[in-house]
């Protein structure tokens, strides 16, 4: 798998506003926020897409969701609520091929997220 911008963030080769880190995961603010709180929670081990998650990755992927809850409790929006999203491939809107959980919070979010969009020219 080729290196993505998220590996560069993990390795501190490019800056990011990091809000959480442990031995398996990193969370940082999305550069183009879609809600008052928009964080990306990523495994330090690169996995390209949700399709590439294996049984061996169950622990680390579950850990990403635990980290989301930890941040929500720590930052005081757990009870108000939030949304966790993992986009997969083109129709899912994935643009960075290192899995990540989007954590969106800070105001009531709309549903469904569907908007008309042409397939990207990947
Ligand atoms: P995706 O579209 O793959 O689900 O989400 C990728 C997310 O990464 C997007 O929301 C985009 O704004 C964010 N992103 C892309 N490049 C960077 C970057 O260099 N730094 C940060 N903090 N976020 C980025």
């Amino acid at each position: 798998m080729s290196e993505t911008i998220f590996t560069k963030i993990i390795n501190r080769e490019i800056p990011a506003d990091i809000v959480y880190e442990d031995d398996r995961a990193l969370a940082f603010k999305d550069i183009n926020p879609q809600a008052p709180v928009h964080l990306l929670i990523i495994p330090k081990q690169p996995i390209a897409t949700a399709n590439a998650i294996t049984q061996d990755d169950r622990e680390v992927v579950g850990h990403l969701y635990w980290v989301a809850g930890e941040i929500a409790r720590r930052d005081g929006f757990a009870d108000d609520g939030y949304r966790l999203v993992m986009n997969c491939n083109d129709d899912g809107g994935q643009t960075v091929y290192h899995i990540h959980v989007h954590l969106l919070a800070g105001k009531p979010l709309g549903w469904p997220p569907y908007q008309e969009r042409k397939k990207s020219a990947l």
Side-chain angles (χ1 to χ4, degrees):
M1 185 183 128
S2 60
E3 190 174 273
T4 71
I5 198 124
F6 290 174
T7 297
K8 290 184 170 38
I9 288 174
I10 292 165
N11 294 335
R12 306 306 203 265
E13 290 163 16
I14 63 165
D17 199 340
I18 292 169
V19 299
Y20 177 91
E21 182 169 21
D22 63 28
D23 58 332
R24 284 167 292 173
L26 190 70
F28 50 92
K29 293 184 181 176
D30 195 292
I31 205 167
N32 182 24
Q34 302 300 312
V37 177
H38 187 173
L39 306 177
L40 302 171
I41 305 168
I42 70 172
K44 288 190 170 173
Q45 149 203 354
I47 301 169
T49 77
N51 289 331
I53 296 169
T54 68
Q55 295 277 5
D56 288 345
D57 300 324
R58 283 179 298 180
E59 207 273 337
V60 72
V61 173
H63 183 67
L64 302 180
Y65 288 86
W66 176 84
V67 168
E70 273 294 283
I71 292 171
R73 287 184 288 275
R74 182 193 74 188
D75 293 354
F77 56 82
D79 288 344
D80 284 339
Y82 51 96
R83 183 170 298 162
L84 303 176
V85 178
M86 183 182 289
N87 298 324
C88 181
N89 280 342
D90 191 28
D91 278 4
Q94 185 172 9
T95 57
V96 179
Y97 283 78
H98 178 136
I99 61 164
H100 44 283
V101 176
H102 292 259
L103 189 166
L104 298 146
K107 66 177 182 184
L109 300 166
W111 190 264
Y114 174 78
Q115 294 170 358
E116 193 60 52
R117 179 173 73 81
K118 288 197 166 59
K119 260 191 165 345
S120 66
L122 286 177

